[in-house]
Every structure is written in structure tokens, then in C-alpha cells.
Amino acid sequence: MTTGKLFILSAPSGAGKTTLLKRVMADLPGLAFSISHTTRLPRAGEVDGVDYHFVSRDKFEAMQDQGVFLEWAEVHGNLYGTSRPAVLAQLATGLDVILDIDVQGAAILRESAAIPAASLFISPPSLPELERRLRGRGTDSEETILLRLKNARQEMQAAADYEYLIINDRLEQAVDTLRAIVIAERSRGHRLPTGQSIEILSEL
Ligand code: 5GP
């Protein structure tokens, strides 16, 4: 049985990663999203257990002590972590798992090389365009926007550490690129574009 592969996706907030991901996950079968734990409060419209597992700092720290997290990081003043047992269970079913994590978490996974992964960085076309998008979505306070812009400048410097770079200038083109990368990575693992094992060919 072929196990799935990890796809690490990082992007400055506002780069359009969530929209891109939703589009490609709707198009390509065999992809699962890893739902992180976070101490951040839910934004309007976010659902516990769907967007994130929203937990208290105490609960998060207890999970850290128990070694639950494959990686974790503090981002914009909140804690975020990826559950190791949840990801391993998804991979074991043959699904490819998408980790939407920040540049610190990606570096931890790259260094530990615990699980084979492809890493992708999604960049906005420019910082002024990123600022325009952050203001346009109208979900964050001025203070949060300024913090996110400052962090974006730093995060963009980590882009060269990733295997793939996607510039999200025009959404359709970025969707095509992300889809092509997933299919190419599957082919490297001798799998079909659907994510199924090549063994299925002999059963057709
Ligand atoms: P947001 O609060 O806007 O949903 O996410 C803020 C940042 O935290 C994003 O860069 C996102 O990729 C990152 N993030 C979300 N989940 C995780 C996680 O489990 N681990 C790490 N290291 N970063 C995460």
C-alpha cells in the first residue's frame, strides 16, 4: 500500500493561499488538509474542527509536553501546531496531506526530515499588493495588518529555502501551477494524477 506524501505550503498572510488551496483540493482527488491546533481565537466564519482545532494555551502546552506536535511555532503572538498522529493517520490511508504552516514550522520539518515532503512557497506579486489585499479583506485591525506586513517582509526571505515557488499574481495561473506541482510530485512517486498507486494499473 502506497502511503501519501506531505506537501508543505507557506505564504505570508494575505498571499491568497487559502483560496488557491480550496480550488486545487476541489479539483484533485486524494488530497487532505491537516487541521492545525491553535491558541488564536476563531475569526468570523471559522469553524472549530474544520479550519483549526481552537484550544486554550494550557491545552496547547499540555499537548506540547506530550510530544503530540510534529512541529509547532509561535506566529503573530499565537501558538500553532501540527498533530503528528493525525497526519500519520491521514498519510497511512494513502492521502497526500497538505500542511499550511509558517516558515518556522517548515524549517523544523525540513531539518528533521522525519517524513518525506515537498515544500512550496506562495508569494504575493509584491508587498504593496499584499498590503492592498490585507486591507481589502477587512477582517483584521490596523495593528494586525501592520504586524502581518512586517512579518511578510521576513517570511519572503525564506522563499529560497523551498523547493517550489508560486507567485500568486493571477489566481487561475497560480491554481494551474499548484495543480501541476502536485501531479508532478505524484508521478515521481509512481502514482497516478489521482494519487492512486501505480499497482492499480494491473487491476484495470
Ligand atoms: P492564520 O492565523 O492567519 O490562520 O495563520 C497564521 C499563520 O500560521 C500562517 O502563516 C499559517 O500558515 C500558520 N500556521 C497555521 N497552522 C500552523 C501550524 O500547525 N504550524 C505552524 N508552524 N504554522 C501554522
Side-chain angles (χ1 to χ4, degrees):
M1 164 100 187
T2 309
T3 61
K5 179 162 189 162
L6 274 190
F7 286 86
I8 300 173
L9 257 77
S10 302
S13 107
K17 181 178 47 183
T18 312
T19 312
L20 246 180
L21 260 182
K22 283 195 178 140
R23 283 284 305 274
V24 172
M25 290 186 72
D27 274 10
L28 276 182
L31 284 174
F33 183 71
S34 159
I35 304 167
S36 296
H37 286 72
T38 183
T39 60
R40 168 167 80 61
L41 294 174
R43 295 194 188 110
E46 282 183 331
V47 178
D48 186 36
V50 175
D51 301 285
Y52 282 104
H53 298 291
F54 295 99
V55 294
S56 66
R57 200 166 257 262
D58 281 353
K59 164 94 177 155
F60 193 99
E61 285 170 357
M63 292 176 76
Q64 273 174 322
D65 292 345
Q66 290 157 10
V68 169
F69 295 123
L70 190 58
E71 63 72 38
W72 66 270
E74 181 154 1
V75 190
H76 313 314
N78 295 301
L79 298 172
Y80 294 83
T82 303
S83 158
R84 183 197 311 268
V87 166
L88 292 180
Q90 286 173 312
L91 289 173
T93 65
L95 291 170
D96 288 325
V97 179
I98 307 230
L99 300 186
D100 170 350
I101 61 177
D102 85 313
V103 297
Q104 304 170 78
I108 292 168
L109 288 184
R110 206 177 294 119
E111 276 154 33
S112 76
I115 305 177
S119 64
L120 295 79
F121 190 89
I122 299 166
S123 171
S126 67
L127 284 170
E129 171 60 16
L130 181 67
E131 179 167 3
R132 202 186 61 75
R133 290 182 191 175
L134 283 175
R135 292 191 184 287
R137 72 183 185 185
T139 49
D140 299 311
S141 65
E142 179 66 18
E143 192 192 353
T144 304
I145 290 174
L146 293 179
L147 179 63
R148 284 175 184 245
L149 279 172
K150 181 168 157 270
N151 289 341
R153 259 181 225 108
Q154 280 173 4
E155 286 159 356
M156 304 278 281
Q157 287 172 13
D161 298 333
Y162 289 70
E163 288 170 280
Y164 296 100
L165 174 67
I166 301 176
I167 310 272
N168 189 8
D169 187 0
R170 292 196 306 116
L171 179 67
E172 290 312 316
Q173 208 167 36
V175 168
D176 285 348
T177 308
L178 178 55
R179 194 192 298 109
I181 292 169
V182 173
I183 293 173
E185 283 291 329
R186 284 179 167 173
S187 306
R188 275 162 60 114
H190 303 103
R191 288 184 298 145
L192 307 182
T194 53
Q196 289 163 294
S197 163
I198 196 170
E199 288 150 28
I200 199 175
L201 288 179
S202 57
E203 293 160 20
L204 294 178

